[in-house]
């Protein structure tokens, strides 16, 4: 079977994706093997290739969906032929951090993963994930391409939950990529006034077409624009759906006194912010961070997609088979594509 693995090149920084031939995995006790039908390419997959990603081990492909092709001994509730979304990271739900509501900080969360990764014709879902509710069955009629948005949308659902938005809030979403636009779509439906910024005109036009909110070029005076539409006050909330320092600063400068800034994008390791902390204190601004999703969030995302599949499905602009993975990476890196989905 074809599978994308990351390899290093001597003397060069970063990791290169290579389409390799591997044996189809067989399920151990409690495992499932899934035949992949679609797997979204995430910004964090690109960061892993650039050697910038700081949050977990460099396995690529975690937005995968497909059909169960083999069932391990002792698995209950799943059969060959089931159409599923398997969550790649699943916490234990029992430790101190899990019980405190910080499930994605659980020591086990990043340790569980799809094997050898989601960009693979077949992959194994470990018993750990299967037995802890990490595998969801897809509703009849939900296209695999739409279902591949469950994982990224689940992360957005969690971040919105942590940000406690009130309806009528003015929200700046910094970054009009797929996850920024997902936030914008969730928040505008919840009654917020959304302003969305990006450096890419293509992405802003796409966000506009999707009616995600009012768009503004990230190179203009974003904080000024936000203040202009809020009577000089600033936004109640800023979601930073980008790991760039510029976007984080834009978020901090655009929120009102007592406002909240959510860091959603993964900053490259070593990112240092040139920001006067006294401003943070004196304006009582709150910084929230959100990493990953729990099963509660992926289930909620599945429900949102069951109801609004066409709307969110429009985020997918490019599709490539595994054999053309390099082109998928190019399209996703260029800033012109919204969501890129890889198929077998
Ligand atoms: Zn992702
Ligand atoms: Zn835990």
């Amino acid at each position: 079977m074809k599978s994308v693995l990351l390899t290093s090149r001597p003397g060069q920084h970063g990791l290169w994706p290579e389409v390799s031939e591997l044996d189809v995995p067989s399920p151990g006790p409690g495992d499932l093997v899934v035949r992949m039908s679609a797997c979204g390419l995430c910004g964090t997959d690109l960061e892993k290739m650039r050697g910038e990603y700081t949050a977990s081990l460099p396995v690529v492909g975690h937005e995968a969906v497909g059909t169960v092709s083999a069932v391990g001994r002792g698995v209950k509730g799943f059969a060959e032929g089931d159409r599923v979304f398997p969550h790649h990271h699943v916490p234990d739900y029992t430790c101190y951090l899990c019980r405190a509501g910080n499930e994605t900080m659980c020591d086990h969360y990043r340790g569980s993963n799809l094997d050898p990764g989601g960009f693979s014709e077949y992959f194994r879902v470990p018993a750990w994930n299967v037995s802890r509710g990490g595998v969801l069955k897809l509703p009849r009629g939900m296209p695999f391409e739409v279902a591949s948005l469950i994982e990224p949308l689940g992360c957005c659902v969690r971040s919105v939950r942590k940000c406690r938005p009130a309806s009528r809030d003015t929200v700046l979403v910094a970054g009009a990529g797929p996850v920024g636009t997902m936030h914008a779509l969730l928040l505008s439906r919840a009654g917020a006034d959304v302003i969305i910024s990006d450096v890419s005109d293509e992405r802003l036009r796409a966000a506009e077409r999707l009616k995600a909110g009012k768009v503004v070029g990230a190179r203009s005076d974003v904080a000024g624009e936000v203040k202009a539409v809020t009577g000089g006050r600033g936004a109640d909330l800023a979601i930073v759906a980008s790991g760039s320092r510029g976007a984080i600063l834009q978020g901090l400068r655009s929120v009102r006194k007592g406002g909240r800034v959510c860091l959603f994008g993964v900053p490259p390791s070593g990112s240092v912010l040139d920001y006067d902390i006294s401003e943070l204190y004196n304006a009582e601004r709150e910084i929230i961070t959100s990493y990953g999703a729990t099963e509660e969030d992926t289930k909620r995302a599945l429900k949102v997609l069951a109801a609004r599949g066409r709307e969110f499905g429009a985020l997918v602009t490019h599709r490539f088979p595994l054999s053309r993975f390099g082109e998928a990476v190019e399209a996703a890196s260029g800033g012109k594509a919204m969501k890129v989905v890889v198929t077998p």
Side-chain angles (χ1 to χ4, degrees):
M1 66 161 190
K2 282 191 201 62
S3 179
V4 174
L5 300 179
L6 292 184
T7 55
S8 54
R9 290 184 185 167
Q12 281 182 292
H13 182 70
L15 296 163
W16 275 258
E18 258 159 38
V19 185
S20 314
E21 274 300 327
L22 299 181
D23 291 337
V24 174
S26 45
D31 296 346
L32 292 176
V33 173
V34 172
R35 186 163 58 86
M36 185 267 274
S37 293
C39 184
L41 186 55
C42 176
T44 62
D45 289 318
L46 303 176
E47 284 162 10
K48 284 171 190 178
M49 292 170 208
R50 289 195 294 260
E52 287 173 353
Y53 191 66
T54 52
S56 71
L57 288 171
V59 171
V60 279
H62 58 268
E63 301 176 357
V65 288
T67 306
V68 173
S69 63
V71 179
R73 192 158 37 80
V75 174
K76 290 200 174 61
F78 292 98
E80 228 183 282
D82 283 348
R83 301 164 73 247
V84 292
F85 157 76
H87 200 184
H88 64 308
H89 284 346
V90 177
D92 60 11
Y93 289 114
T94 58
C95 74
Y96 185 89
L97 292 172
C98 282
R99 283 182 286 121
N102 304 110
E103 299 91 342
T104 65
M105 294 293 108
C106 175
D107 283 344
H108 295 278
Y109 187 72
R110 300 175 207 207
S112 50
N113 216 328
L114 309 179
D115 166 34
F119 297 126
S120 191
E121 281 179 86
Y122 293 84
F123 56 83
R124 189 178 62 83
V125 186
W128 175 277
N129 305 41
V130 179
S131 65
R132 283 168 182 79
V135 184
L136 305 182
K137 285 189 193 167
L138 303 179
R140 196 190 301 269
M142 178 180 282
F144 280 120
E145 191 172 286
V146 169
S148 74
L149 302 173
I150 292 172
E151 197 279 336
L153 186 61
C155 297
C156 302
V157 164
R158 178 168 190 272
S159 124
V160 168
R161 184 158 59 81
K162 291 189 80 175
C163 291
R164 316 176 307 275
S167 68
R168 312 245 52 89
D169 265 3
T170 299
V171 183
L172 169 71
V173 176
V179 285
T181 309
M182 282 181 190
H183 274 99
L185 291 174
L186 289 173
L187 287 159
S188 14
R189 177 63 69 95
D193 249 324
V194 177
I195 302 161
I196 183 160
S197 71
D198 202 285
V199 287
S200 153
D201 286 336
E202 282 89 352
R203 285 189 156 179
L204 288 181
R205 274 201 297 274
E208 215 164 29
R209 269 198 306 277
L210 292 163
K211 299 188 172 57
K214 176 180 150 59
V215 302
V216 42
R219 291 202 178 89
S220 64
D221 176 15
V222 175
E225 298 243 3
V226 171
K227 284 183 181 142
V229 298
T230 51
R233 199 170 50 232
D236 301 288
L237 168 67
I239 307 267
V240 185
S242 153
S244 93
R245 283 175 299 182
I248 297 172
L249 287 172
Q250 201 174 79
L252 284 165
R253 289 182 181 133
S254 300
V255 295
R256 63 168 169 84
K257 289 177 181 166
R260 290 146 286 149
V261 177
C262 175
L263 307 191
F264 183 82
V266 188
S269 115
S271 297
V272 174
L273 219 52
D274 184 14
Y275 180 76
D276 184 347
I277 305 296
S278 75
E279 236 181 81
L280 187 75
Y281 177 85
N282 286 315
E284 217 180 37
R285 293 196 175 98
E286 188 182 340
I287 294 181
I288 298 165
T289 60
S290 189
Y291 164 74
T294 65
E295 276 37 78
E296 183 193 336
D297 304 314
T298 54
K299 278 183 200 151
R300 177 84 208 123
L302 177 65
K303 276 198 186 131
V304 171
L305 291 172
R308 301 167 68 187
R310 205 180 290 270
E311 187 186 358
F312 282 87
L315 285 168
V316 179
T317 52
H318 292 66
R319 299 144 189 95
F320 295 94
L322 272 172
S323 57
R324 290 166 58 203
F325 190 77
E327 289 170 63
V329 171
E330 238 170 75
S333 313
K336 292 201 167 79
M338 269 299 220
K339 192 71 190 172
V340 177
V341 166
V342 175
T343 58

